[in-house]
Amino acid sequence: METESPKKPLPEKFKEKGGINQYARYSSLAFQMIAAILIGLWLGMKTDQWLNLKYPVFTAIFILLFIFASLYLLIRSLPKS
């Protein structure tokens, strides 16, 4: 026989200004940044393989490019205070 555990109250930080929605929004931004960096890594590696380069030049370029693009989008999405 299963017993249901009582629901725990939300922490105070989630009760302020739509806390759960804000938490979900910003945690999803972290996953988007990780995905963008991984796409830049993959794209750079494929380009370096295609051009048969000795050093991973395009890997570094694409990773940095995607990091800057992710940071730009992150800053644009922050609320203006």
Side-chain angles (χ1 to χ4, degrees):
M1 182 168 158
E2 291 183 34
T3 59
E4 290 185 33
S5 62
K7 291 187 177 181
K8 295 179 183 177
L10 290 174
E12 290 299 319
K13 65 181 179 181
F14 291 140
K15 292 181 182 178
E16 304 167 0
K17 284 188 167 182
I20 292 178
N21 291 335
Q22 292 294 322
Y23 180 75
R25 178 179 174 201
Y26 292 122
S27 63
S28 70
L29 285 174
F31 287 113
Q32 288 175 1
M33 288 183 70
I34 291 170
I37 293 168
L38 290 175
I39 290 170
L41 173 69
W42 180 79
L43 192 61
M45 288 173 60
K46 289 297 180 182
T47 306
D48 287 333
Q49 284 177 353
W50 180 62
L51 295 174
N52 200 19
L53 297 176
K54 183 177 180 181
Y55 300 106
V57 176
F58 283 100
T59 302
I61 290 172
F62 282 132
I63 289 174
L64 289 174
L65 182 68
F66 278 70
I67 287 173
F68 288 130
S70 296
L71 287 174
Y72 175 75
L73 293 175
L74 172 71
I75 292 170
R76 294 254 335 207
S77 71
L78 293 175
K80 294 184 173 51
S81 47

